[in-house]
Amino acid sequence: MTSPLRAQFIPVEIWPDDRGVHINAHGGGVLFHGGRYYWFGEHKIAGAAGNAAHVGVHAYSSTDLYNWKDEGIALAVSDDPGSDIVRECVIERPKVIFHPGSGRFIMWFHLEMKGQGYQAARVGVAVAEQPAGHYTFLHSFRPNAGYWPDNATAAQKAALADPAAMAALDTLKFNGGDNPEVPQLPVLARDFAGGQMARDMTLFVDDDGAAYHLCASEENSTLHISRLRDDFLATSGRYVRVFENRWHEAPAVCKHGGRYWMISSGCTGWAPNPARSAVADSIWGPWTELGNPAVGVNPQNGLGPEQTFGGQSTFLLPVQGQKDAFIALFDLWRPQDAIDGRHLWLPVRFTPDRITVEWRDRWDLRVFAGAM
Ligand code: GAL
């Protein structure tokens, strides 16, 4: 059955695709190419089992952002037990960018190996000739193996040669969230040779064509921003540490008014927490934190800024043809029944010193012309 055309965003409600099925693209991102938007996200299945990847990355396309056509599975999990992306691995927060030099579409995602919890902390990369796929898995790795970040301190580097400092790491039991132990330990040095941890992530392509990977690293304590290689298939070795020991997750980035703006979350797993925002004159920083961008209350669950309406950021989407119009994409996770996770899209408003995202029960793109 074909769904009636939609002309509004209705945050958190079921969002039917062209077949009338709730859009199954969580932790997603959107690419605009050839006059169409392509939305990529985690395909979830029912129940708590749905938090692992049983199917892969789902793609949808649209010309108006309200009505989405099911383009099928862009990247499928593998049946080969030796594959990094074997069924029941974890594939999260897929993002796709276009590589003009090769004319190919490059997908990056956070990858956890089957049966290993969140310990692998890797990135996966897949490539396609067409925007909606099919994508071929290329490789997975931990970024920047053998490189120090530009802003590493002498003490951080010296830890590598200090057996006592490195031995202290053996006591580290990561609890999945904010904790006081990690900042005391030489986690950066520990991962120098094998590559830095990469969990929640996004990609960003700047006006000059340079692409960047932003991710929660160092046991989630500190964000890493890495320049991609010119072929966009790996990190280049040039990176910085930002928001040191601030436990930022779910980074989403855009460029507006010549500055870089970020919305992110704290580190509390699937449970919502207060959103964060920051601005910088260079992607490399320094980044200035601006506080919680959320305004208002979601009447469906009574949650306001203190829990980001029940959501967690995933992407900042530039609206084509409308100057300075951006949509903030959040997920309202339902970890007990992952497939029922909801999409929460809200318009972004900029003032010279702030980025805000105000709750709306329903809205449409005329909001950017000041009509709503
Ligand atoms: C969240 C993260 C999600 C997912 C989840 C697992 O903090 O943003 O992408 O990794 O933890 O608990």
Side-chain angles (χ1 to χ4, degrees):
M1 194 191 84
T2 307
S3 294
L5 282 183
R6 293 166 75 86
Q8 284 184 319
F9 300 102
I10 313 176
V12 186
E13 269 196 12
I14 290 285
W15 191 343
D17 66 11
D18 61 324
R19 300 169 195 220
V21 178
H22 180 50
I23 293 173
N24 200 338
H26 309 271
V30 177
L31 168 76
F32 183 76
H33 189 86
R36 290 189 84 79
Y37 295 94
Y38 294 86
W39 177 357
F40 301 87
E42 307 156 20
H43 179 105
K44 306 274 198 187
I45 64 167
N51 297 312
H54 294 257
V55 177
V57 175
H58 206 133
Y60 297 81
S61 77
S62 173
T63 54
D64 64 8
L65 294 169
Y66 309 117
N67 298 282
W68 292 88
K69 173 174 181 281
D70 185 357
E71 297 277 359
I73 301 304
L75 174 70
V77 294
S78 172
D79 288 319
D80 173 1
S83 168
D84 289 356
I85 60 162
V86 65
R87 194 181 312 276
E88 292 181 61
C89 67
V90 169
I91 293 177
E92 289 181 344
R93 300 185 177 274
K95 305 286 178 287
V96 174
I97 55 178
F98 176 62
H99 183 250
S102 63
R104 298 200 292 179
F105 300 86
I106 319 289
M107 177 189 291
W108 285 53
F109 51 91
H110 167 200
L111 174 69
E112 297 292 346
M113 311 297 258
K114 180 181 175 184
Q116 294 182 27
Y118 277 77
Q119 290 316 299
R122 297 170 79 83
V123 291
V125 180
V127 177
E129 304 297 329
Q130 301 297 329
H134 293 288
Y135 285 77
T136 303
F137 176 65
L138 189 66
H139 60 175
S140 84
F141 57 94
R142 278 193 169 186
N144 299 313
Y147 292 95
W148 292 110
D150 284 5
N151 56 353
T153 63
Q156 283 164 341
K157 295 181 182 177
L160 202 54
D162 178 348
M166 298 307 281
L169 285 161
D170 296 341
T171 62
L172 177 62
K173 293 268 186 298
F174 180 61
N175 66 7
D178 186 334
N179 69 66
E181 291 85 40
V182 167
Q184 312 299 324
L185 297 165
V187 175
L188 186 76
R190 179 196 68 189
D191 294 335
F192 174 77
Q196 299 296 327
M197 298 177 82
R199 291 205 182 99
D200 277 11
M201 59 147 277
T202 194
L203 296 179
F204 174 73
V205 183
D206 209 341
D207 302 331
D208 63 1
Y212 299 86
H213 175 256
L214 299 92
C215 73
S217 190
E218 301 179 43
E219 306 286 359
N220 293 345
S221 65
T222 297
L223 214 81
H224 286 189
I225 302 180
S226 303
R227 170 113 189 228
L228 301 195
R229 238 164 45 188
D230 287 347
D231 62 8
F232 291 3
L233 300 177
T235 46
S236 63
R238 173 121 202 256
Y239 70 114
V240 293
R241 309 171 69 238
V242 295
F243 307 113
E244 184 179 36
N245 299 323
R246 286 285 292 136
W247 305 88
H248 280 256
E249 286 197 315
V253 181
C254 70
K255 192 171 185 179
H256 163 78
R259 294 200 285 173
Y260 302 82
W261 301 81
M262 185 185 296
I263 293 183
S264 57
S265 74
C267 185
T268 55
W270 301 115
N273 58 55
R276 299 159 174 208
S277 65
V279 67
D281 290 330
S282 159
I283 189 82
W284 299 118
W287 285 86
T288 305
E289 288 203 46
L290 299 174
N292 191 332
V295 176
V297 173
N298 171 0
Q300 301 168 29
N301 55 18
L303 299 180
E306 75 294 345
Q307 292 192 49
T308 315
F309 320 120
Q312 187 182 29
S313 45
T314 184
F315 197 69
L316 286 169
L317 163 57
V319 178
Q320 298 300 312
Q322 295 209 38
K323 195 171 173 298
D324 299 333
F326 293 84
I327 304 175
L329 278 56
F330 300 84
D331 294 282
L332 193 142
W333 303 112
R334 297 258 163 93
Q336 297 314 314
D337 188 20
I339 195 172
D340 194 35
R342 302 302 176 87
H343 314 294
L344 202 171
W345 291 25
L346 290 168
V348 173
R349 178 160 293 161
F350 294 97
T351 60
D353 301 319
R354 268 204 90 184
I355 175 171
T356 55
V357 179
E358 190 174 351
W359 176 265
R360 286 167 188 264
D361 293 333
R362 47 184 65 219
W363 64 282
D364 64 59
L365 294 172
R366 289 175 304 164
V367 72
F368 296 114
M372 292 180 86

